[in-house]
Amino acid sequence: MLTHLECTRCGEHYPADRPQSVCPKDAGILYARYDLPNIKRAFSSARLAGRAPTMWRYEAVLPEADPVSLGEGFTPMLASREYPSVYIKDEGLNPTGSFKARGLSACVTMARHFGLKKLAIPSAGNAAGALAAYCAAAGLEAHIFMPKDVPVANRIECDYYGAHITLVDGLISDCARKVAELKASESWNKDGWFDVSTTKEPYRVEGKKTMGYEVAEQLGWKLPQGIIYPTGGGVGLLGMWKAFEEMEALGWIGSERPRMITVQSASCAPIVKAWEEGKSSSEMWPNAATLASGLRVPKPYGDYLILDILKKSHGTAVSATDAEILEATRHWAKVEGIFAAPEGAASLVAYRKLRASGFFKPEDRVVLFNTGNGLKYLDVLDGSVERTLLSAKAASRKPAARQIGGIIGPY
Ligand SMILES: [Zn+2]
């Protein structure tokens, strides 16, 4: 039922029977397009009942290939204990402990289908772990390029999955440059290499879009008033919006749409800045640094699509400081029993701000995405626990003792 790929900038069509990256004309992101009228005739949402609780239950709207699956998707939609109209979509329960499993399951499935051998990825951490796991399951080579200061869990998991790891002194954008260099090398085409960077191939979006199908199915085919989504590369946001359009064409939902909210770290907020300035694309964020490593994306490739979705959905973009994110991580753990990734807990910070500003009313149904499991951030969170303890100690002493040459501890 997959008919072709379509450029999101110029609308040009490309064949879907071979590996494709971005539009050769304008470098636009390519979306997979399906024969939706035919799917509508052959399949209804009622037929989903009783299917396996993985994202492949939506195979009718996914490419036809033998799935490389580790049981990803169909994660719980938990009713919040704190806010009666809030739901938490807990993506931390995916294989490899993050929402990245969905995109990489779909992407590796297609890579194997096309006979590719070596998959290269620049990653802020969790996508690397997911690629490594799915490549292991598929018998392909994973080549990981990630910042050397990613959470320890990401490095260890990639190593255990047998991936080839290059640690880069820099950010995900520097890692992307390494992959681009590799692409220019002679062996790239000869040895079956492929770049599976965020939105630079069409199928990670297809995997991530299943989050949109799940939100609808788990809420009884009634979309919520809002979705708050921690946005690094923003693939899930693109994917969910695409899912809503497909579901409307299939007659599974109506024309209603949730307000889509991007939350980013205050120390790396290119989308928030562009949104506030009314721009249609973002600028490279200088000196990005946040403990929410998945949000350390200085310029998402799909920025033009993210900003368009925020606009069309009457959504907004919100930032959260590292201190707010840490507090929210602890609060969610204590109040909801959910040990979230710091990126996920940023959703709670955004929700509180949007409630305080009146953007959301108490009765508005809002889905907050927890994108990963806190257990993957033990070193990051442990460091913050130590820092909190140290600063509490420091506060009880004379402050002068903690300052040397203008540098404020802890050292
Ligand atoms: Zn194009």
Side-chain angles (χ1 to χ4, degrees):
M1 293 292 181
L2 174 61
T3 53
H4 63 278
L5 304 174
E6 184 183 58
C7 176
T8 51
R9 279 192 202 274
C10 69
E12 183 74 39
H13 290 193
Y14 296 97
D17 61 354
R18 66 203 74 167
Q20 302 273 14
S21 53
V22 294
C23 176
K25 287 185 186 167
D26 54 16
I29 293 168
L30 301 182
Y31 273 1
R33 296 299 185 197
Y34 300 83
D35 183 353
L36 294 174
N38 228 335
I39 297 173
K40 188 179 180 179
R41 274 190 293 277
F43 194 83
S44 74
S45 57
R47 287 183 50 189
L48 291 168
R51 290 200 162 201
T54 80
M55 71 174 205
W56 295 97
R57 66 199 276 107
Y58 307 107
E59 63 178 6
V61 285
L62 290 169
E64 271 179 274
D66 181 21
V68 180
S69 176
L70 295 167
E72 54 291 320
F74 220 66
T75 55
M77 177 73 83
L78 302 168
S80 164
R81 267 87 179 158
E82 186 175 22
Y83 300 103
S85 55
V86 165
Y87 293 84
I88 301 162
K89 181 75 171 148
D90 194 359
E91 289 290 296
L93 281 95
N94 274 303
T96 72
S98 92
F99 67 157
K100 299 285 182 183
R102 296 176 188 264
L104 273 315
S105 171
C107 165
V108 172
T109 291
M110 294 310 285
R112 185 175 70 177
H113 180 73
F114 291 132
L116 298 166
K117 300 279 182 254
K118 300 167 189 269
L119 307 187
I121 195 167
S123 165
N126 279 324
L131 177 68
Y134 286 94
C135 276
L140 305 182
E141 278 182 29
H143 292 260
I144 310 287
F145 296 80
M146 61 186 171
K148 65 174 187 188
D149 59 348
V150 294
V152 171
N154 297 133
R155 271 194 282 131
I156 296 177
E157 64 180 337
C158 289
D159 187 44
Y160 267 69
Y161 289 130
H164 303 260
I165 306 168
T166 306
L167 295 175
V168 177
D169 190 4
L171 300 177
I172 188 169
S173 40
D174 302 295
C175 300
R177 208 153 33 237
K178 291 268 175 205
V179 174
E181 282 168 23
L182 190 66
K183 243 174 169 169
S185 74
E186 237 175 64
S187 79
W188 186 265
N189 286 326
K190 198 174 63 179
D191 296 340
W193 282 86
F194 197 68
D195 176 5
V196 298
S197 299
T198 299
T199 57
K200 290 187 186 166
E201 61 75 54
Y203 299 107
R204 284 176 67 180
V205 174
E206 291 308 286
K208 284 276 186 79
K209 83 178 180 188
T210 57
M211 295 191 295
Y213 281 89
E214 287 175 27
V215 166
E217 185 178 358
Q218 292 174 324
L219 296 179
W221 304 106
K222 274 202 179 114
L223 295 183
Q225 273 79 44
I227 292 181
I228 303 183
Y229 188 76
T231 306
V235 180
L237 198 82
L238 310 187
M240 282 193 276
W241 194 254
K242 184 174 187 285
F244 300 149
E245 285 175 356
E246 290 174 1
M247 280 189 279
E248 188 182 353
L250 293 169
W252 296 5
I253 59 167
S255 60
E256 78 283 1
R257 294 288 183 274
R259 302 175 89 173
M260 304 297 281
I261 320 294
T262 272
V263 58
Q264 296 195 304
S265 161
S267 19
C268 182
I271 295 295
V272 179
K273 183 169 183 282
W275 174 255
E276 284 169 356
E277 292 170 355
K279 297 202 170 126
S280 55
S281 66
S282 66
E283 286 162 33
M284 181 72 85
W285 187 274
N287 307 316
T290 167
L291 61 89
S293 47
L295 300 179
R296 222 167 36 164
V297 182
K299 180 174 170 34
Y301 195 74
D303 56 359
Y304 66 104
L305 294 171
I306 296 169
L307 288 158
D308 187 49
I309 291 166
L310 299 188
K311 201 169 164 184
K312 279 186 184 149
S313 72
H314 308 286
T316 189
V318 180
S319 64
T321 66
D322 276 10
E324 289 172 327
I325 290 174
L326 274 178
E327 188 279 326
T329 309
R330 189 178 281 278
H331 184 82
W332 248 2
K334 266 163 97 172
V335 172
E336 306 280 3
I338 296 170
F339 188 25
E343 295 88 341
S347 299
L348 174 62
V349 178
Y351 178 72
R352 286 172 178 162
K353 290 185 178 179
L354 295 171
R355 274 290 300 276
S357 72
F359 185 95
F360 283 130
K361 296 184 188 63
E363 64 273 22
D364 286 340
R365 282 212 298 184
V366 181
V367 173
L368 312 189
F369 267 84
N370 171 34
T371 51
N373 194 320
L375 290 173
K376 294 192 81 175
Y377 296 78
L378 292 182
D379 50 333
V380 179
L381 297 173
D382 192 37
S384 85
V385 170
E386 266 175 40
R387 276 195 299 278
T388 311
L389 290 175
L390 272 172
S391 61
K393 259 189 204 167
S396 65
R397 287 189 214 147
K398 284 178 187 158
R402 306 295 300 175
Q403 287 193 23
I404 299 166
I407 302 165
I408 300 172
Y411 334 106

